[in-house]
């Protein structure tokens, strides 16, 4: 139920990689054709050769859609980051691929609030199965800003759940987040990292290589130690620390201060370390 909408702001997105384009392919949404349980869906429309975002105000076959025309015809064996959202104030539905120009369509009717299942990779777990790979899918009840969408795309590197809510334009991404699925499990059910919307495995979904540039860790390299060759292999030990550890290594020296709030003191330290105010959020 938490993944239903109505006439509200909401935003979905994920990375997709198609192995073929020979049929319509469901990517993610709450959409069950049988019994008029349509709400919203992102899918590949084979006849139009486009990624399409589609919504229904009543749950029946009267729908409004928008195609990713700015991207045009997507290629197989290529990763794409797709954002789709409903802006309840502007009365629009929108789709954007790879941080490009968003395509938009007017829609003032809101969305149906039905009791069908939310699913990734097939319509309600069965129809129009997706032939390819899907990664880092999310659902939030707000419209992300252009800067936040850029952060999520991260120049094609992508982000995982552990990356959001940290600094800069990713700091507020959890404010209205309902579900986030990294989809990193090798098999079986897929966990929701934000809440309890675990996705039940249907038809034995397997695992494959994800976004090539997806960062596994962020921080600083302190040292690289060569290791004597073992079995003919050249190896090295990387000694690395997280971002805040670099502040300690810099051995900062600041002027003494009194009667200063902790947030202000930490801010002065980070400024001295070269962290701009755009790269941090500190509670008062």
């Amino acid at each position: 139920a938490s993944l239903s909408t109505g006439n509200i702001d909401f935003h979905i997105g994920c990375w997709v990689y198609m192995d073929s384009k020979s049929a319509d392919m469901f990517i993610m949404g709450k959409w069950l054709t049988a019994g008029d349980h349509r709400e919203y869906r992102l899918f590949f429309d084979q006849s139009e050769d486009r990624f399409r975002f589609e919504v229904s105000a009543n749950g029946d076959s009267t729908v409004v859609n928008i195609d990713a025309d700015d991207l045009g015809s997507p290629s197989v064996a290529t990763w794409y980051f797709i954002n789709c959202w409903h802006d309840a104030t502007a009365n629009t539905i929108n789709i954007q691929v790879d941080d490009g120009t968003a395509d938009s369509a007017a829609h003032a009717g809101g969305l149906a609030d039905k009791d069908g299942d939310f699913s990734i990779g097939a319509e309600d777990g069965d129809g129009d199965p997706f032939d390819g790979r899907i990664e880092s899918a999310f659902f939030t009840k707000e419209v992300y800003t252009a800067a936040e969408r850029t952060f999520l795309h991260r120049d094609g590197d992508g982000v995982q759940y552990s990356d959001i809510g940290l600094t800069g334009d990713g700091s507020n991404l959890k404010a209205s987040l309902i579900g986030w699925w990294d989809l990193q499990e090798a098999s079986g059910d897929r966990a929701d990292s934000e809440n309890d919307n675990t996705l039940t495995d249907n038809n034995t979904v397997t695992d494959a290589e994800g976004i090539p540039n997806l960062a596994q860790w962020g921080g600083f390299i302190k040292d690289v130690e060569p290791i004597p060759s073992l079995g003919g292999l050249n190896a090295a030990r990387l000694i690395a620390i997280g971002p805040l550890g670099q502040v300690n290594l810099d051995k900062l020296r600041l002027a003494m201060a009194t009667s200063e709030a902790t947030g202000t003191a930490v801010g002065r330290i980070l400024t001295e370390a070269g962290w701009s105010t755009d790269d941090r959020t500190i509670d008062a």
Side-chain angles (χ1 to χ4, degrees):
S2 65
L3 297 169
S4 289
T5 55
N7 192 20
I8 64 170
D9 289 341
F10 78 94
H11 196 127
I12 62 173
C14 63
W15 286 87
V16 302
Y17 176 108
M18 297 189 293
D19 287 332
S20 70
K21 301 199 300 181
S22 59
D24 287 352
M25 294 189 294
F26 186 96
I27 298 173
M28 66 183 297
K30 288 193 69 176
W31 196 272
L32 179 60
T33 302
D36 291 344
H37 282 75
R38 301 170 177 89
E39 293 187 48
Y40 58 91
R41 67 171 173 171
L42 165 62
F43 69 109
F44 171 72
D45 187 300
Q46 192 269 337
S47 63
E48 298 295 330
D49 193 23
R50 295 289 190 272
F51 291 123
R52 171 173 285 188
F53 181 44
E54 192 164 53
V55 302
S56 174
N58 302 310
D60 60 21
S61 58
T62 304
V63 300
V64 176
N65 55 59
I66 182 66
D67 291 336
D69 287 329
D70 183 70
L71 171 69
S73 172
S75 301
V76 298
T78 302
W79 281 103
Y80 294 101
F81 179 56
I82 309 176
N83 280 287
C84 305
W85 66 94
H86 171 247
D87 189 323
T89 301
N91 287 322
T92 60
I93 58 172
N94 310 267
I95 185 169
Q96 178 196 43
V97 181
D98 285 347
D99 204 27
T101 301
D103 294 287
S104 181
H107 176 61
L111 278 79
D113 184 354
K114 299 291 185 176
D115 58 3
D117 287 339
F118 174 88
S119 59
I120 294 178
E123 179 186 313
D124 210 347
D126 187 21
D128 294 334
F130 186 78
D131 181 23
R133 312 171 197 179
I134 303 174
E135 185 172 5
S136 297
F138 65 87
F139 175 98
T140 186
K141 290 186 176 179
E142 65 174 304
V143 173
Y144 283 153
T145 66
E148 288 171 329
R149 299 195 302 272
T150 297
F151 175 89
L152 289 169
H153 180 248
R154 197 159 65 177
D155 293 327
D157 291 347
V159 300
Q160 292 180 306
Y161 179 77
S162 58
D163 298 312
I164 66 174
L166 298 177
T167 60
D169 293 316
S171 59
N172 293 319
L173 290 173
K174 291 185 179 181
S176 301
L177 187 64
I178 304 298
W180 182 292
W181 303 267
D182 279 330
L183 305 176
Q184 296 293 311
E185 295 88 346
S187 62
D189 296 347
R190 268 58 171 182
D192 173 10
S193 298
E194 177 67 12
N195 285 301
D196 297 323
N197 295 303
T198 298
L199 300 176
T200 303
D201 181 29
N202 287 276
N203 299 319
T204 314
V205 178
T206 57
D207 185 46
E209 182 179 353
I211 307 167
N213 298 323
L214 184 64
Q216 298 299 313
W217 177 84
F220 299 88
I221 298 296
K222 179 181 178 184
D223 201 3
V224 180
E225 297 180 351
I227 298 176
S229 178
L230 301 174
L233 297 176
N234 295 318
R237 178 182 293 110
L238 302 180
I239 301 175
I241 57 177
L244 284 175
Q246 184 64 39
V247 176
N248 183 56
L249 289 182
D250 288 342
K251 294 180 170 56
L252 305 173
R253 296 291 183 268
L254 282 81
M256 291 289 291
T258 59
S259 301
E260 186 172 67
T262 303
T264 302
V266 172
R268 288 203 302 123
I269 293 169
L270 294 180
T271 297
E272 184 68 18
W275 283 34
S276 75
T277 55
D278 291 335
D279 291 335
R280 67 190 197 231
T281 301
I282 305 174
D283 289 342

